[in-house]
Amino acid sequence: TQLLLAQSPTRVGTTAGNVLEMGYDPKGIAMGDAVVSTVRDLSSVYWNPAGLSGMTNNEVYFTYQDWLVETYTFFAGAAFVAPDLGTFAISVLGINYGEMEVTTLELQEGTGENFTPTDLAVNLSFGRNLTPWFGFGATIKYIHSSIYHLSANAFAVDLGVNISTSFLAPSGTNKDGMKIGMALSNYGT
């Protein structure tokens, strides 16, 4: 005979922080998220904060996307260009997963209660050109995730650089040459 011990249920298939993995700019999404070196507007808060260093005008950006099965995502942000300092931005992005029914092991058909899981991230960003061909950026994030009666909070940082080269430039200048970008995203708790 074999002795089997019952174990408590695990959280297989659960995840957290999906708000940090969803693209918010239609151009970036259409490019398969391959815009880290080319983005130069407020959406760079998500893709690569160094892109803020290439901004020349203040911007405000809002987006709302219906997603799968009553889920929607949203992004709202504003950036202010301070010519001698760099570009400062604040933004909020989130996911609402829609209303779900509470189930338990005993009541798998539902308890009659409903809940709405959400993820939210509030970002403060800065980008600056150190030279005409090299810019850097950073974002500090506060992340909040809630599901039913549980919630979690975390902090993360994004760091990025953009380099403009004259390589393959028809004019021989770094303005229209190859762009190189790097971003380290969501490093934190």
Side-chain angles (χ1 to χ4, degrees):
T1 63
Q2 200 173 31
L3 179 63
L4 298 175
L5 301 174
Q7 296 180 349
S8 63
T10 61
R11 300 288 184 216
V12 174
T14 60
T15 185
N18 286 336
V19 70
L20 305 174
E21 300 172 357
M22 307 286 300
Y24 291 91
D25 174 48
K27 177 182 158 189
I29 294 169
M31 294 284 295
D33 298 353
V35 293
V36 170
S37 65
T38 60
V39 67
R40 299 284 189 271
D41 58 18
L42 184 53
S43 70
S44 62
V45 167
Y46 177 79
W47 305 111
N48 178 0
L52 292 172
S53 66
M55 289 180 56
T56 56
N57 297 313
N58 299 336
E59 291 184 17
V60 177
Y61 187 89
F62 301 97
T63 184
Y64 172 92
Q65 302 175 66
D66 281 327
W67 208 52
L68 306 170
V69 195
E70 298 180 16
T71 300
Y72 66 86
T73 65
F74 61 89
F75 177 93
F80 172 73
V81 178
D84 295 332
L85 297 175
T87 302
F88 298 88
I90 185 167
S91 59
V92 176
L93 53 105
I95 299 177
N96 182 310
Y97 296 97
E99 193 171 275
M100 297 180 187
E101 190 174 8
V102 175
T103 59
T104 65
L105 289 175
E106 294 81 25
L107 299 168
Q108 294 187 15
E109 297 299 317
T111 65
E113 292 180 279
N114 292 320
F115 69 101
T116 303
T118 58
D119 286 341
L120 183 73
V122 178
N123 309 310
L124 295 173
S125 305
F126 174 75
R128 178 184 172 127
N129 275 330
L130 295 180
T131 68
W133 55 270
F134 180 82
F136 77 97
T139 297
I140 298 172
K141 302 177 181 185
Y142 166 74
I143 305 151
H144 177 78
S145 184
S146 67
I147 183 168
Y148 193 42
H149 295 301
L150 301 174
S151 65
N153 299 305
F155 290 93
V157 174
D158 293 353
L159 302 171
V161 297
N162 279 335
I163 301 170
S164 298
T165 72
S166 59
F167 185 70
L168 298 175
S171 68
T173 67
N174 62 4
K175 183 173 180 133
D176 58 351
M178 184 171 77
K179 310 285 189 247
I180 301 169
M182 182 278 305
L184 172 67
S185 299
N186 308 318
Y187 186 77
T189 59

